[in-house]
């Protein structure tokens, strides 16, 4: 599941693959957490172009911060974009 997450996270906010894997392992996510995270990322990318994996959106947190803070569960992570 890490590979799926890593490949779909916006490239400009990823870490090296090794550092990202360490952050993923430190997050110690359950299968349910991972599914929730991937569902959130997929939905967010559909509603907010700055989250597309090839985008350069400035409001996307660094991958390690995203995982450490469970960003997909926060109020900030669930705000809808305004265009």
């Amino acid at each position: 599941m890490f590979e799926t997450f890593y490949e779909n996270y916006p490239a400009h906010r990823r870490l090296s693959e090794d550092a990202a894997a360490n952050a993923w392992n430190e997050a110690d996510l359950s299968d349910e957490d991972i599914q929730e995270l991937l569902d959130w990322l997929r939905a967010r990318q559909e509603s907010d172009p700055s989250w597309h994996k090839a985008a350069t959106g400035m409001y996307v947190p660094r991958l390690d911060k995203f995982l450490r803070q469970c960003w997909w569960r926060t109020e900030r992570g669930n705000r809808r974009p305004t265009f």
Side-chain angles (χ1 to χ4, degrees):
M1 295 301 237
F2 164 74
E3 291 295 326
T4 300
F5 169 70
Y6 185 77
E7 290 300 318
N8 286 288
Y9 201 77
H12 76 292
R13 300 304 282 166
R14 289 182 203 157
L15 307 170
S16 70
E17 193 164 352
D18 288 341
N22 287 338
W24 176 268
N25 291 331
E26 287 174 12
D28 195 28
L29 302 170
S30 69
D31 290 342
E32 292 81 19
D33 294 334
I34 293 169
Q35 192 59 55
E36 179 185 358
L37 181 160
L38 293 175
D39 290 345
W40 180 92
L41 185 58
R42 204 169 297 117
R44 190 59 179 221
Q45 288 172 334
E46 290 174 6
S47 67
D48 183 351
S50 66
W51 278 85
H52 187 274
K53 64 183 180 179
T56 59
M58 65 181 177
Y59 298 110
V60 174
R62 237 175 55 168
L63 184 144
D64 56 341
K65 180 178 181 180
F66 177 85
L67 290 172
R68 191 173 48 256
Q69 294 180 355
C70 295
W71 217 77
W72 62 99
R73 292 183 179 145
T74 66
E75 178 184 330
R76 192 167 153 191
N78 287 300
R79 279 189 214 140
R80 290 291 148 222
T82 55
F83 299 105

